[in-house]
Amino acid sequence: MSQAGIVTGLALRELWISFRLLLLLAVHLAAGLSVVVFPALVRPALDRFTLLVAAAAVVGAAVAARSISLERSERRAGWLVTRSISRGTIVIGWFVALGVITLAGLAASGGLAWLTVSLADPSLDVVAFGAVFAGVAGLCLVTLAIGLLLGALLPSRLSVPTAAVGCGVVMIAGWLGDPLLIPLAALRALPDLERPVSIGLQGTGIGLAMTGLVLVGARIALGRADL
Amino acid sequence: MLSSSTPDALWSAPSLRALRPAAVACTDLRFGRDLDRCTLTVPPGARLLIVSEPDGVASTLLSLIAGLSHPDGGEIRIAGATDPSAAGWGRRMAYLGPLPGMYPSMTPRESLRLAGRLLGLPRDEVDQGSERAAAWARIPPEAHDRPIARGGAELLERTALAAALIGDPEVLLLDEPLRAIEARERESLLRLPGPRLTVLLASRYPGTERGLVSHVAYLRGGRVAFVSAIAALEARGLSLSHGGLAAYAEPADAGAERRRETATE
């Protein structure tokens, strides 16, 4: 197994033991379950679903920040570095672990939501929903990367609130105002599925590109950190 | 137990001795207020105690050498290489600090296997190395499959020592190691065999390390004030203590001052 694979396995183990894995899955599933358990008209149900997905993305950022901060403060990142693991591998390993859990949670949640709303309104297009939801997934990956960046820069007591408040403010601004950032536009488009495919594809692509850029920042930040 | 892929006879060949790089060479290292153009060269096989004034600077120096912090300037070479990756000197050096950074939920057996896998050792070598290292660190057999967190600080430190030894490092950096273990046993655990194993030991309590090292480096003002054999220190009637080292440094400082004055003239 590659070193990145080993670090991903260690990250998944730590997330499992500390219940952070369950927390991440639970907040994403809660979004889907909110549609199933509290049936309503399609639009209000998707509004609620979108808000809860955004909240789950904020929780994801906080979990990512706490995870990497703890790796630093507990000296586990330092131990890995003295075992010839590069700092970039640590960032990638944690991102893959958090990303897999987030995408699994999103897939389950999106599946539940789609099954429910498509029964209520059979005219809804699965491709449109899938495309916009992929854009939202891109947004969730960006928030994870931002969490890792803040965790690499700040101690745990600062990185977690900074990640939560920062991502929360951006989500609320995107929801209430004009979402200039395309991944946020995907989130905004989810309830009414406007221009679904173009917004979805742009959101996914730009989200992945932003994730890559922020991860490079996280790598640089962890590279400069004292472990 | 600790060996290298290079045969001893080859290392000791007179023609190669001149080419043999220092095990650790720090040149003009700068780091915040702690280090100011600090230069230190340690030959292979040396057992060097590093003591500093103030205390934390010796630990800082080892952190820099281990790659845990980045110097503001200067260069670090391990066995002649500057590349800290696995392809460079990453796998030839091990570090054991006061906070070992092990995963407390893992058992010692799991931790040692992980340490071996991270170094890219083949499975059979990992198994054999784990057993040897665990035996050296005297990890009780009944504790092998118990989470480290349940064994307390002593089991944590024994596991960390074993993990550091598993790859047969050529350079071992010890920063206040094994303080949770009883003094006499600690000394026997740290009396590591291997004529070519280079050990750098940072300590705030130099007197407790007397039997483990042959030389001492004293850092003051962010630089190496002197490097001396322990025997030379004791020949002057000075003890291996902060006071003794400071007293030994004074003539060296005076000599350096005289040399600077001569150079200025």
Side-chain angles (χ1 to χ4, degrees), chain B residues 48-225:
Chain B
L48 179 69
L49 172 66
I50 303 177
V51 182
S52 64
E53 182 62 47
D55 277 330
V57 176
S59 297
T60 302
L61 178 62
L62 289 201
S63 289
L64 290 170
I65 297 171
L68 298 175
S69 301
H70 287 291
D72 299 332
E75 185 182 69
I76 297 167
R77 285 179 179 269
I78 307 278
T82 54
D83 175 14
S85 71
W89 49 258
R91 289 182 181 162
R92 302 166 76 176
M93 183 273 297
Y95 170 86
L96 176 57
L99 293 169
M102 311 295 296
Y103 290 83
S105 60
M106 284 188 178
T107 66
R109 193 186 303 279
E110 288 170 334
S111 300
L112 297 183
R113 284 194 180 143
L114 172 65
R117 282 167 61 210
L118 288 171
L119 291 176
L121 301 177
R123 182 180 284 266
D124 56 337
E125 221 173 290
V126 169
D127 291 340
Q128 289 168 10
S130 298
E131 281 179 27
R132 281 201 313 262
W136 177 267
R138 295 179 203 162
I139 297 173
E142 67 275 13
H144 277 237
D145 296 307
R146 201 167 58 191
I148 294 171
R150 288 194 204 157
E154 196 174 313
L155 182 61
L156 176 70
E157 292 193 339
R158 287 178 193 277
T159 309
L161 173 66
L165 297 177
I166 200 169
D168 288 346
E170 293 169 36
V171 175
L172 188 56
L173 308 174
L174 303 170
D175 182 8
E176 302 287 353
L178 310 187
R179 287 292 180 197
I181 295 174
E182 187 271 325
R184 201 171 302 167
E185 191 182 5
R186 172 182 183 269
E187 190 173 324
S188 71
L189 291 178
L190 292 176
R191 232 181 251 279
L192 298 158
R196 275 196 330 283
L197 174 67
T198 307
V199 177
L200 274 66
L201 170 58
S203 179
R204 291 165 192 235
Y205 311 100
T208 63
E209 320 292 6
R210 193 179 170 283
L212 301 173
V213 289
S214 58
H215 289 71
V216 59
Y218 187 61
L219 275 60
R220 195 159 65 178
R223 298 183 183 196
V224 177

Side-chain angles (χ1 to χ4, degrees), chain A residues 1 3 6-7 10 13-14 17 71 73-85 87 223-227, chain B residues 31 67-70 86 90-91 93-95 99-106 110 114-115 117-119 163-164 166:
Chain A
M1 191 187 285
Q3 287 187 329
I6 295 174
V7 175
L10 286 172
R13 182 190 166 107
E14 281 304 301
I17 287 171
E71 288 301 291
S73 63
E74 304 276 325
R75 307 281 174 174
R76 292 192 287 261
W79 185 73
L80 290 175
V81 166
T82 61
R83 302 275 92 194
S84 295
I85 303 295
R87 294 170 191 233
R224 291 176 178 276
D226 294 334
L227 300 178
Chain B
F31 186 76
L68 298 175
S69 301
H70 287 291
R91 289 182 181 162
M93 183 273 297
Y95 170 86
L99 293 169
M102 311 295 296
Y103 290 83
S105 60
M106 284 188 178
E110 288 170 334
L114 172 65
R117 282 167 61 210
L118 288 171
L119 291 176
I166 200 169

Side-chain angles (χ1 to χ4, degrees), chain A residues 10-22 101:
Chain A
L10 286 172
L12 285 169
R13 182 190 166 107
E14 281 304 301
L15 289 168
W16 171 249
I17 287 171
S18 63
F19 299 104
R20 279 172 275 162
L21 188 150
L22 289 177
I101 298 164

